[in-house]
Amino acid sequence: MSSTAAPRATRATNFPVILLWVASLAAAAVGYLIMTNSINAQAELYAAGSQDVHAMLTGQSGATLGTTLIGVGVLGLLLALAVHAHNFALAQAQAALMVDDFDEFGADFDETEIVHSTSTPADATSAKATVAEPVEVVEVVEVVEEEVIVVADAADEAPAADTKPATPAS
């Protein structure tokens, strides 16, 4: 099966997605650097036995900021990957719609000609009505009346032990 080439507009470079990839990688890399520097600063404070609370809290907040930036970068990478997957699926669907010949089918295709029609259903029904033979419509109505007696089995009823006694209203 051959397909026609996709239009040039679909092959254009998608700069926003490239920017998303770059920004995501940059955010993850900066987050990693901030986190590792903050953890190293905390480790030095603990090793020195320092009681500098300000430096310790600065290191903790830096580690938190770094891990948050790593998370944002990974989320951005996942979004960019989802956009690429969507664009790929869209391109595949467009390519499938652009198939222009059926030579590959050969004898299995029964030499039937494929006709692409742009007529609306109203046009198609009016065309068929003028060509088709008149059809006689016969209505058949049948009324069936039966009397059905339903007998409750003892197995269908709930056991008396499962029912709650009614509480008197006060």
Side-chain angles (χ1 to χ4, degrees):
M1 222 184 275
S2 66
S3 62
T4 58
R8 185 71 182 148
T10 60
R11 294 183 182 169
T13 304
N14 194 347
F15 289 112
V17 175
I18 292 172
L19 182 65
L20 180 60
W21 278 104
V22 171
S24 298
L25 287 172
V30 168
Y32 178 77
L33 290 174
I34 291 173
M35 182 191 66
T36 54
N37 287 337
S38 297
I39 290 175
N40 287 337
Q42 283 181 345
E44 289 175 8
L45 283 173
Y46 292 135
S50 174
Q51 296 295 322
D52 187 10
V53 176
H54 184 266
M56 182 185 65
L57 292 176
T58 302
Q60 287 178 350
S61 64
T64 303
L65 176 65
T67 55
T68 303
L69 285 174
I70 291 172
V72 167
V74 169
L75 181 62
L77 290 174
L78 291 175
L79 286 173
L81 187 62
V83 167
H84 275 293
H86 173 70
N87 289 344
F88 178 76
L90 188 61
Q92 293 296 320
Q94 286 175 346
L97 291 175
M98 300 189 82
V99 173
D100 61 350
D101 65 349
F102 298 96
D103 294 338
E104 185 176 300
F105 293 109
D108 295 335
F109 200 58
D110 294 335
E111 302 299 322
T112 305
E113 184 178 326
I114 294 179
V115 178
H116 297 284
S117 174
T118 57
S119 64
T120 60
D123 295 338
T125 56
S126 65
K128 288 181 184 176
T130 59
V131 175
E133 296 178 14
V135 177
E136 184 178 331
V137 178
V138 178
E139 287 188 34
V140 178
V141 177
E142 213 177 292
V143 178
V144 178
E145 292 183 21
E146 291 183 18
E147 187 175 324
V148 178
I149 301 173
V150 178
V151 178
D153 265 350
D156 291 341
E157 296 177 11
D162 290 340
T163 60
K164 288 185 178 179
T167 54
S170 345

